[in-house]
Amino acid sequence: MHAPRLVLSLVLSLAAAPAFADPARLELGRRVFTELAEPRCGVCHTLADAGTKGEVGPALDTLKPSADRVATAVANGIGVMPAFEDLTPEQIDAVAQYVASVTGAAK
């Protein structure tokens, strides 16, 4: 893992807990998931709250990933999923909180 990405992952994991219930952060996360990320997350992932039915990546409602897991995947990429280098740390944290929140993942 590259040093900047490792630092980003650590910062996001430290920032994750207090932002979990913030409605503005969750709305930003929903926008990242449905509009701002390129390619859009829903192209590959199914997520009921976002109304997406992607079939390439895992169904997030079933997987129920933690915010840390989402943030790491978005920042670094995983498998065929690219790293989303154009997203800001705030956007990555927001989408991670959003996915974990709407899927019922453990905080």
Side-chain angles (χ1 to χ4, degrees):
M1 182 180 295
H2 300 293
R5 289 184 181 166
L6 177 59
V7 170
L8 175 63
S9 293
L10 292 173
V11 168
L12 291 175
S13 68
L14 291 174
F20 214 121
D22 179 6
R25 169 106 29 215
L26 295 179
E27 181 55 31
L28 173 59
R30 188 176 200 286
R31 285 193 57 232
V32 171
F33 192 92
T34 60
E35 302 171 31
L36 302 176
E38 285 298 331
R40 292 189 172 97
C41 305
V43 169
C44 295
H45 295 287
T46 295
L47 183 62
D49 186 82
T52 61
K53 299 194 182 295
E55 296 181 6
V56 175
L60 299 174
D61 296 301
T62 303
L63 185 62
K64 299 182 187 318
S66 70
D68 288 344
R69 187 172 180 185
V70 174
T72 299
V74 172
N76 302 316
I78 186 169
V80 297
M81 180 177 156
F84 286 81
E85 296 174 350
D86 291 342
L87 295 177
T88 67
E90 178 186 19
Q91 290 170 325
I92 293 171
D93 179 60
V95 75
Q97 295 302 321
Y98 167 69
V99 169
S101 178
V102 301
T103 61
K107 293 180 186 179

